[in-house]
């Protein structure tokens, strides 16, 4: 049988040649046993958040572009609140008609409407002066028993506020992250993927630029 250089046991080749063979396949520069090689070896496209030497400076206008998208998202929030005000006004009128036309509606229904009206009225009164508190009150209504009394249009308007507020907040978080040198190095790839997904950029090119700077691997790839 001819001599084989397997690299995993004693052979006639010297140690330097064995080590060189390990280097040729892109692994550690020192000899490892097979189990250690499989555990420690990292492929060249390992799923890291921001590779060493990579910086937002590679795309100097990126943070400004993200900031512009933050402003766009924030502008949409007051409009969404005004939409809720209109839809909820219709809802209250419907409740009034039901109260007139139906005697003895259950106490549960009445209580649900009272809770919903109190919470949404409080949110609408605060959205211009304290948007974070207004959003909190709105979320309490949607998560509580009062949500059962709301029609579909009112619920949709309320959820639209949640969505636009989330887009603005997450885009601002990404902008702050990219403004800090090497900050993304410490973030897990899945966290970065979720952050970008939550930003929900309308501009696909902007998202592509973000991914290029972060050098994210394919989101479908399984990370560890």
């Amino acid at each position: 049988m001819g001599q084989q250089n397997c690299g995993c046991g004693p052979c006639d080749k010297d140690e330097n040649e064995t080590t060189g063979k390990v280097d040729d396949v892109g692994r550690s520069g020192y000899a490892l046993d097979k189990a250690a090689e499989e555990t420690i070896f990292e492929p060249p496209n390992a799923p890291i958040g921001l590779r060493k030497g990579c910086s937002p400076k590679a795309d100097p206008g990126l943070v400004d572009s993200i900031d512009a998208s933050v402003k766009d998202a924030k502008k949409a929030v007051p409009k969404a609140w005004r939409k809720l005000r209109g839809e909820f006004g219709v809802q209250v009128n419907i409740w009034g008609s039901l109260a007139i036309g139906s005697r003895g509606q259950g106490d549960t229904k009445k209580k649900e409407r009272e809770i919903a009206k109190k919470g949404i009225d409080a949110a609408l009164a605060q959205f211009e002066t304290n948007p974070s508190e207004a959003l909190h009150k709105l979320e309490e209504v949607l998560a509580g028993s009062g949500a059962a009394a709301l029609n579909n249009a009112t619920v949709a308007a309320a959820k639209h506020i949640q969505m636009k507020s989330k887009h603005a907040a997450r885009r601002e978080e990404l902008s702050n992250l990219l403004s800090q040198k090497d900050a993304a190095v410490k973030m897990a790839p899945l966290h970065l993927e979720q952050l970008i997904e939550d930003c929900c950029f309308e501009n696909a090119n902007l998202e592509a630029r973000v991914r290029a700077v972060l050098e994210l691997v394919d989101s479908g790839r399984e990370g560890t």
Side-chain angles (χ1 to χ4, degrees):
M1 180 181 294
Q3 185 179 31
Q4 297 182 0
N5 182 13
C6 65
C8 61
C11 68
D12 293 335
K13 300 291 184 179
D14 61 31
E15 184 178 349
N16 289 336
E17 186 174 349
T18 302
T19 303
K21 182 66 176 176
V22 174
D23 287 337
D24 287 343
V25 296
R27 302 193 181 187
S28 303
Y30 51 87
L32 297 168
D33 60 43
K34 205 159 192 67
E37 285 177 353
E38 292 175 355
T39 302
I40 297 175
F41 171 63
E42 291 184 2
N45 292 323
I48 55 179
L50 186 61
R51 291 200 179 121
K52 185 177 181 181
C54 184
S55 165
K57 291 181 180 179
D59 187 346
L62 179 59
V63 172
D64 288 341
S65 296
I66 294 173
D67 287 343
S69 77
V70 172
K71 290 179 181 178
D72 289 341
K74 286 184 174 180
K75 285 179 182 177
V77 174
K79 183 178 179 180
W81 277 104
R82 289 192 289 272
K83 174 71 172 176
L84 175 64
R85 190 193 297 278
E87 294 293 353
F88 189 60
V90 173
Q91 175 75 88
V92 171
N93 288 338
I94 292 172
W95 287 342
S97 298
L98 290 174
I100 293 171
S102 301
R103 276 195 209 167
Q105 283 191 335
D107 290 340
T108 299
K109 285 286 185 185
K110 183 178 179 181
K111 186 65 175 178
E112 287 173 349
R113 291 170 185 171
E114 289 174 351
I115 291 172
K117 189 174 188 310
K118 181 180 179 181
I120 292 183
D121 280 345
L124 289 170
Q126 288 186 287
F127 84 86
E128 290 180 327
T129 57
N130 192 343
S132 60
E133 181 61 23
L135 181 61
H136 176 67
K137 289 185 180 300
L138 182 61
E139 289 174 339
E140 284 186 335
V141 173
L142 293 177
S145 59
L150 300 174
N151 62 19
N152 291 338
T154 301
V155 171
K159 289 185 175 180
H160 189 64
I161 292 170
Q162 287 181 304
M163 180 182 71
K164 288 299 181 181
S165 299
K166 181 179 182 179
H167 292 171
R170 294 295 266 171
R171 291 177 190 182
E172 195 161 31
E173 182 180 345
L174 179 62
S175 175
N176 292 336
L177 178 70
L178 292 174
S179 298
Q180 299 172 24
K181 184 179 180 181
D182 297 331
V185 173
K186 300 177 182 179
M187 296 181 68
L190 290 178
H191 182 94
L192 289 170
E193 286 283 359
Q194 188 62 55
L195 177 57
I196 293 173
E197 183 179 331
D198 290 347
C199 288
C200 200
F201 291 114
E202 292 87 358
N203 187 329
N205 181 57
L206 178 56
E207 179 174 334
R209 288 167 62 193
V210 172
R211 289 183 177 279
V213 165
L214 295 178
E215 291 195 4
L216 285 170
V217 297
D218 183 359
S219 60
R221 177 174 179 172
E222 189 174 337
T224 54

